[in-house]
Amino acid sequence: MKSTDIRGLTADQIADELVKARKEQFNLRFQRATGQLQNTARVRQVRRDIARLSTIAAEKKTKGK
């Protein structure tokens, strides 16, 4: 997910995307532990998406004040 796409979302939508990304991260970690993970690069992508979502959510929160 690109930062320009995220900036177009509302705060609630960003929070929903963040929850989805964290669930996916959990599932990927579980797959890696059990040896079922096929796409190891996806772990890195999801981690960066979570960071991107968190950063933009914090920016929007401080802009609102």
Side-chain angles (χ1 to χ4, degrees):
M1 181 173 279
K2 294 188 176 189
S3 60
T4 54
D5 298 336
I6 297 170
R7 290 185 196 283
L9 301 175
T10 65
D12 290 335
Q13 290 172 328
I14 291 174
D16 290 341
E17 289 294 324
L18 195 54
V19 168
K20 285 185 207 174
R22 287 194 171 134
K23 283 183 182 179
E24 183 178 0
Q25 183 184 37
F26 173 80
N27 289 331
L28 290 170
R29 283 196 332 245
F30 197 85
Q31 287 176 11
R32 185 176 8 177
T34 59
Q36 298 174 349
L37 184 62
Q38 298 294 320
N39 185 3
T40 57
R42 185 69 185 141
V43 176
R44 184 178 184 186
Q45 290 172 343
V46 171
R47 188 175 69 233
R48 289 184 177 194
D49 283 344
I50 290 171
R52 201 172 288 122
L53 286 162
S54 299
T55 301
I56 294 173
E59 286 176 4
K60 286 189 178 235
K61 189 175 183 180
T62 57
K63 278 185 182 178
K65 289 186 178 180

